[in-house]
Amino acid sequence: MTAQISFGGHSFEAVGEAALHWPARKALLVADLHLEKASSYAMGGQFLPPYDSRATLEELAGLVRKYAVEAIFCLGDNFHDDGGEARLEDEAARLLRQLTASHDWRWIVGNHDPGIAANWGGVIHDELCLDGIVLRHEAEPRDPRPEMSGHFHPKFRQEIRGRLVSRRCFVRSSTKLILPAFGALTGGLDADDSVIGEACGGYATEALVPAAGRVLCFPLSASRARAE
């Protein structure tokens, strides 16, 4: 059983909790790695375990090996701030250098890392258009083209037997597909938040939740179906 997601006339597969495999392009798509978030917080006096970058890149490397991809597209907020590249600890830097050297690695610029310099390899883009799908960091509500983005870190929350359960999810409308955050230390915004509905141009949206080798689909109420 595979967790298939159809979008923009193409077929994708949700892999792990927050990545997309694009078989036709032998590619993996991820958003919001937020590498070196822990060290960024430490500079402000809030100390977190300093292994977030390593954990994020190890998870990504595992998916790359499993699906034998040739290209990796990172949809912005790759580092938690512009100084993150310089602070990247040695083991994480080694992992990243290996990945960029052996794959077609593309960085999309995000609002957290507008000065990303690709110090560890890869190619930088403000946005890309591949096979009719625009790849950018933050959804553009007025763009009618099929578009994949990140930025909002969507999570689907549901009460089950009196307990609130939260899972990373994709949010899909007729023209938008928003990826969840891939980074190990990233939080999340409720997928049903009106901010996400507005980013999708007000069209009806649904949360796509990877679970047990399939994708569960839940209509979201914050968006409003707009007459075509």
Side-chain angles (χ1 to χ4, degrees):
M1 182 182 296
T2 57
Q4 295 295 323
I5 293 178
S6 295
F7 180 74
H10 299 274
S11 181
F12 303 87
E13 181 183 358
V15 295
E17 290 187 24
L20 272 186
H21 177 216
W22 192 349
R25 274 196 164 264
K26 297 183 179 179
L28 203 66
L29 298 101
V30 291
D32 298 279
L33 303 179
H34 283 270
L35 299 174
E36 291 305 306
K37 181 175 181 177
S39 63
S40 179
Y41 274 49
M43 291 190 301
Q46 183 176 349
F47 295 98
L48 300 170
Y51 309 113
D52 58 306
S53 297
R54 190 184 307 183
T56 297
L57 291 169
E58 284 176 346
E59 182 180 359
L60 181 58
L63 291 174
V64 166
R65 288 191 299 270
K66 181 175 181 179
Y67 294 95
V69 300
E70 297 176 359
I72 302 166
F73 299 97
C74 300
L75 306 185
D77 284 0
N78 312 286
F79 292 86
H80 192 66
D81 58 67
D82 272 342
E85 284 182 278
R87 296 195 309 272
L88 195 63
E89 56 98 4
D90 290 346
E91 178 59 20
R94 184 189 66 80
L95 283 168
L96 181 55
R97 192 183 292 111
Q98 284 182 345
L99 287 166
T100 58
S102 54
H103 299 83
D104 180 10
W105 183 291
R106 305 301 180 102
W107 303 104
I108 303 293
V109 176
N111 59 291
H112 271 260
D113 53 1
I116 186 171
N119 292 335
W120 306 104
V123 180
I124 300 170
H125 302 271
D126 289 329
E127 60 182 50
L128 279 172
C129 186
L130 299 175
D131 298 340
I133 297 178
V134 178
L135 307 182
R136 57 166 57 108
H137 177 58
E138 184 175 353
E140 172 48 67
R142 292 174 296 278
D143 192 336
R145 297 174 294 175
E147 168 204 274
M148 289 184 175
S149 62
H151 184 65
F152 294 105
H153 307 193
K155 286 192 171 183
F156 182 73
R157 297 180 171 91
Q158 186 176 51
E159 187 172 317
I160 300 176
R161 298 173 185 170
R163 179 169 169 261
L164 186 64
V165 176
S166 177
R167 294 284 300 272
R168 286 183 281 185
C169 71
F170 301 82
V171 173
R172 181 176 62 184
S173 73
S174 57
T175 61
K176 311 292 182 189
L177 184 63
I178 299 176
L179 276 65
F182 190 86
L185 277 185
T186 49
L189 179 65
D190 193 327
D192 215 8
D193 194 286
S194 60
V195 170
I196 293 180
E198 290 166 6
C200 291
Y203 290 97
T205 56
E206 53 193 358
L208 305 177
V209 184
R214 59 194 180 118
V215 171
L216 306 179
C217 182
F218 300 91
L220 297 172
S221 60
S223 61
R224 58 192 182 279
R226 178 183 287 175
E228 295 290 346

